[in-house]
Amino acid sequence: MFGFVRPLRGELKVREWERFQSVYCGLCHTIRRHYGILQTSLLSYDCTYLALVLDSVESGGGDVCRKRCIMHPLRKRACACESAGMMRAAAVSVILQWHKLGDTISDEHGLKRFAARFLRFFLRKGYRKAARDLPEFDRCTLQCLTQLSELERQKTASLDRPADAFANILRAAVAGYHTDGRILEEMFYHTGRWIYLVDACADIKDDFASGGYNPVILRWQLTQAELLPPVKDAMNHTLLQSLAASYHAYILMHPYRDAGIIENILCQGLPEVTRQVLEGTFSNNGGKNRHGSL
């Protein structure tokens, strides 16, 4: 359910793309320093976006240094310096990935379940430290995922109820952060709703074949593993509504930097992902687990 949030690179200025890369690398280094190198293997663009937004509301943020890493041992790369926003995004990333592996263990079988158990064993120490750093977020994430599991068990046909449960996780990720906290909560709530629903659309074929829970299939009572034109139109409408609500919250913010990148993601990157998912041409290789290299 991660890997959908990304900029539309072709519409970014060169310096903006380099800045986005530096935030990704900075978040990777922050996770490695505080939670362990294995945790960085699960880093996605979604938490890079979170780090970018949180850093943008800090008056003293935006500094860049140059560092080497395992993926780039010979040449130093531009790297956003550690900040309060970067620290929070790092802890959120570790906690989310831990619970995502738990969800995989619950839902999958065979090799996938074994791999998730194996990886989770080695990530336990980093997760426990992140949970101590953000205990309220960890508790809220577990509560929301428990609620989501119950909705899945009941085969709830509603789009809004499971999307709301997931969206509250991202709302909790920014709760109480900075003076723009309420604005950030609304912004990330609607982004979370979009992530859940666009993921459901992307998984229709697999869930149809496996019999897995998918609110889009149940809501529209689909009888074949594809989105019919009326369903495409309806889902496009609700997805773009979520993005519009997120953007309307964003414009109430007063970012110190990176407004162009954030607006690119909200107004171009995510609508383009929406289009690709609904047309069946989306590939998350461009936004997920690209450790150390964009």
Side-chain angles (χ1 to χ4, degrees):
M1 198 172 288
F2 302 102
F4 291 102
V5 180
R6 64 184 71 172
L8 187 60
R9 181 175 178 179
E11 296 298 325
L12 286 175
K13 298 175 181 178
V14 173
R15 61 178 172 80
E16 289 175 332
W17 176 245
E18 291 175 349
R19 168 64 177 166
F20 187 78
Q21 286 183 301
S22 75
V23 173
Y24 181 94
C25 291
L27 183 56
C28 182
H29 279 280
T30 300
I31 292 173
R32 183 178 67 177
R33 178 182 176 188
H34 293 278
Y35 304 114
I37 192 169
L38 280 178
Q39 301 283 354
T40 64
S41 64
L42 300 176
L43 177 59
S44 70
Y45 285 6
D46 305 69
C47 285
T48 304
Y49 173 63
L50 174 63
L52 185 79
V53 173
L54 294 184
D55 189 71
S56 75
V57 298
E58 294 183 33
S59 60
D63 294 331
V64 177
C65 55
R66 300 191 70 84
K67 293 183 179 181
R68 294 185 178 91
C69 66
I70 291 177
M71 299 300 295
H72 304 93
L74 301 179
R75 182 182 176 185
K76 291 184 178 180
R77 290 168 60 92
C79 178
C81 295
E82 191 171 297
S83 64
M86 197 76 72
M87 282 288 298
R88 191 177 185 104
V92 167
S93 176
V94 170
I95 291 169
L96 286 179
Q97 294 297 349
W98 171 266
H99 290 297
K100 182 175 184 291
L101 288 171
D103 190 55
T104 300
I105 292 170
S106 299
D107 294 345
E108 301 292 344
H109 303 279
L111 187 59
K112 285 186 177 181
R113 174 180 285 183
F114 174 79
R117 286 184 183 276
F118 181 80
L119 186 56
R120 215 171 187 236
F121 175 81
F122 289 101
L123 298 179
R124 181 177 288 108
K125 182 178 179 181
Y127 159 71
R128 287 176 175 172
K129 186 175 186 302
R132 289 195 299 271
D133 292 339
L134 287 180
E136 192 60 36
F137 173 68
D138 183 55
R139 284 193 292 270
C140 181
T141 299
L142 186 57
Q143 290 171 0
C144 291
L145 290 177
T146 300
Q147 179 186 357
L148 190 56
S149 295
E150 179 62 20
L151 292 171
E152 292 176 356
R153 187 187 67 79
Q154 295 173 359
K155 299 292 185 180
T156 302
S158 168
L159 296 178
D160 291 329
R161 291 177 65 192
D164 176 74
F166 182 81
N168 280 323
I169 295 175
L170 292 197
R171 171 179 276 168
V174 297
Y177 188 86
H178 201 262
T179 56
D180 286 337
R182 290 185 64 185
I183 296 172
L184 288 169
E185 287 181 40
E186 282 300 297
M187 182 178 172
F188 279 90
Y189 172 86
H190 291 289
T191 301
R193 184 179 187 278
W194 175 86
I195 289 173
Y196 182 85
L197 293 177
V198 83
D199 178 71
C201 291
D203 287 347
I204 282 178
K205 185 175 181 179
D206 291 342
D207 290 338
F208 194 89
S210 66
Y213 174 74
N214 190 304
V216 178
I217 293 175
L218 294 173
R219 167 65 180 82
W220 300 103
Q221 298 182 351
L222 299 183
T223 57
Q224 53 187 2
E226 62 182 18
L227 281 172
L228 301 175
V231 177
K232 284 186 181 180
D233 292 342
M235 290 309 301
N236 183 64
H237 179 72
T238 192
L239 288 166
L240 293 184
Q241 274 190 322
S242 291
L243 295 183
S246 184
Y247 179 73
H248 290 155
Y250 161 74
I251 61 178
L252 298 176
M253 285 174 48
H254 301 90
Y256 290 96
R257 66 194 67 82
D258 300 326
I261 308 174
I262 297 169
E263 290 173 12
N264 173 284
I265 293 171
L266 284 174
C267 301
Q268 296 175 291
L270 302 191
E272 175 62 14
V273 170
T274 300
R275 183 190 67 78
Q276 291 176 1
V277 167
L278 294 181
E279 291 182 356
T281 60
F282 176 78
S283 170
N284 63 13
N285 291 333
K288 185 178 180 182
N289 297 342
R290 298 289 301 277
H291 178 211
S293 178
L294 301 184

